[in-house]
Amino acid sequence: MKSDMGLIVKTTARATIPLIGIFGAYVVSHGHLTPGGGFQGGATIAGAGILFLIAFGLGEMKKRYNHHLYSALEGLGGLAFLGAAMLGMGVAFFYNALWQDGPFFNGQPGTLLSAGYLPIMNLAVGLKVFTGLVSAMAAIAAYRRWKE
Amino acid sequence: MNNVVLVNLPFVVVALLLAVGFYTIGFKRNLIKVVIGIEILEGAVNLFLIALGYVKGAYAPIYTMAPPQAENNMVLPTPQALTLTSIVIGVAVSALMLAFAVNIYRHYGTLDVTKVRRLRG
């Protein structure tokens, strides 16, 4: 059974997947300033991945999707979140040491490099949500083994 | 807007969604429809949480480029954080339920909840 779409859908997907990815990266990186954040941006980028899966089919997805890499990245996102939370262990768990007297991410509130560990946590959550959702969709798509 | 029905309209919608969701879970036999009923329940709960935090005429709780009259006049941010957590949990639960549904279909050959009770294999 043919599992990819036609020419128009493929061309449109080639044009829109980078745009969706850039918009998702914007939502993730500006999570402490504008609406959005880790989960919303990660789900947006995962939408680009799912568009790739649907437009180009499972065979093309299998060539570019590495199960071990995505599992490792998902664990790395969780570890980065935990590491950012542990930065201020001298005072308390989740103490925002970067914001109080950190070397970076302590700019004027409202600018991009502010809010202490929040951008790091947004990036970690975005990475985790993106890899988790893409892995789940790839696993469900690869599961079609029942008889016709 | 001071009409009592119009003010409470979100909660009426929440009650309707809860009724629809419980009816779907209780009386539908297809497992996919049961999953859809649980999703409707989650939507009702999320709408309830967001409607609880509403302040009349208030602004979104974002300080970036906020107008001056938004000072001390924002809707409650706590239910929004709760709802975001609830949405994440809902996505995870729905993915797990749908994966179980696929597994049950492969194992039993049917999605009817009254026919998947016998032990097999």
Side-chain angles (χ1 to χ4, degrees):
Chain A
M1 194 175 80
K2 201 160 156 287
S3 71
D4 56 343
M5 296 274 174
L7 183 65
I8 298 175
V9 175
K10 279 186 182 173
T11 310
T12 315
R14 274 196 197 94
T16 50
I17 282 174
L19 297 179
I20 297 173
I22 290 169
F23 179 67
Y26 160 74
V27 169
V28 170
S29 57
H30 287 70
H32 52 299
L33 302 174
T34 57
F39 178 72
Q40 291 93 331
T44 308
I45 306 175
I50 293 165
L51 175 60
F52 179 85
L53 169 65
I54 292 175
F56 293 99
L58 186 59
E60 201 70 19
M61 186 74 173
K62 273 179 178 166
K63 286 182 207 159
R64 286 173 170 77
Y65 168 78
N66 185 351
H67 171 67
H68 300 288
L69 174 67
Y70 273 65
S71 292
L73 281 180
E74 190 178 357
L76 185 70
L79 280 180
F81 190 93
L82 184 64
M86 300 272 276
L87 276 177
M89 270 310 262
V91 179
F93 194 50
F94 275 101
Y95 178 71
N96 203 339
L98 279 182
W99 169 245
Q100 305 292 339
D101 46 11
F104 43 83
F105 285 131
N106 56 354
Q108 189 73 22
T111 58
L112 187 58
L113 294 178
S114 64
Y117 58 25
L118 281 184
I120 303 173
M121 286 187 165
N122 275 329
L123 287 175
V125 173
L127 182 67
K128 192 169 172 57
V129 168
F130 162 65
T131 52
L133 283 181
V134 168
S135 299
M137 285 306 293
I140 289 178
Y143 202 68
R144 306 175 310 168
R145 279 183 292 153
W146 60 74
K147 52 189 179 292
E148 291 297 323
Chain B
M1 271 303 281
N2 288 325
N3 192 345
V4 83
V5 175
L6 216 53
V7 166
N8 289 319
L9 190 60
F11 300 103
V12 177
V13 175
V14 164
L16 284 177
L17 281 177
L18 280 177
V20 171
F22 276 122
Y23 171 79
T24 310
I25 292 175
F27 292 97
K28 290 294 174 186
R29 290 183 170 182
N30 194 321
L31 264 178
I32 300 292
K33 290 181 181 175
V34 173
V35 172
I36 291 173
I38 295 173
E39 294 299 311
I40 292 173
L41 276 188
E42 282 171 7
V45 170
N46 292 340
L47 178 59
F48 179 64
L49 281 172
I50 285 296
L52 274 183
Y54 180 66
V55 177
K56 190 182 171 191
Y59 288 80
I62 299 159
Y63 276 98
T64 309
M65 314 263 296
Q69 62 266 31
E71 191 79 22
N72 292 326
N73 188 23
M74 290 177 169
V75 300
L76 301 185
T78 315
Q80 303 193 2
L82 277 175
T83 307
L84 183 58
T85 314
S86 161
I87 289 171
V88 176
I89 296 171
V91 169
V93 168
S94 67
L96 193 62
M97 285 188 298
L98 289 173
F100 279 155
V102 174
N103 260 323
I104 286 171
Y105 183 78
R106 285 192 64 219
H107 193 71
Y108 290 100
T110 178
L111 276 176
D112 196 332
V113 292
T114 60
K115 288 179 183 158
V116 297
R117 56 199 308 162
R118 63 196 188 279
L119 290 172
R120 283 183 63 188

